[in-house]
Amino acid sequence: MVLVPSVMSSWGCMVLTEPPAQPTLFYPARGVTAGCARDATEIADALGALLGPARAAILLGAGTARTTSQVARDADIAISTASHHLSVLRGGGLIASERDGARMLHLRTPLGEAMVGAML
């Protein structure tokens, strides 16, 4: 039997048994269909309710490596405040920080990606 996750059906399973096809069970892909309809504002609001608006914005922007100064500028907060938020997100396993010469680069971890992806 072939199992196939499907984003086309959110209401239940479908079965294909007609020869010459192999018996196939199509089932709803978990979490995908509901997230397709969410927009960026809705996602930011949901993350903001969970993490706070500043940390949510930092996590959403951490899809590309940025320095602490860039994070602070993008979030319109002081560098010390950005550093604190990054420390909290790093402690939670959502951000990884790596030294690059004199600067520190911050990027979402797989857990951070999963959290952002779960909101989609």
Side-chain angles (χ1 to χ4, degrees), residues 32-119:
V32 175
T33 54
C36 290
R38 297 184 79 179
D39 65 3
T41 305
E42 203 176 348
I43 294 165
D45 289 346
L47 273 176
L50 181 64
L51 300 173
R55 289 185 187 144
I58 291 169
L59 184 61
L60 285 169
T64 57
R66 296 179 302 159
T67 66
T68 307
S69 298
Q70 289 169 321
V71 169
R73 186 175 50 251
D74 292 346
D76 197 28
I77 55 178
I79 293 175
S80 59
T81 305
S83 180
H84 171 73
H85 287 313
L86 287 163
S87 293
V88 171
L89 292 168
R90 187 172 40 256
L94 302 174
I95 296 279
S97 300
E98 184 177 300
R99 186 157 295 284
D100 179 35
R103 56 191 196 151
M104 194 68 111
L105 295 176
H106 312 282
L107 185 64
R108 274 193 306 252
T109 63
L111 180 60
E113 289 289 340
M115 179 174 266
V116 169
M119 297 295 167

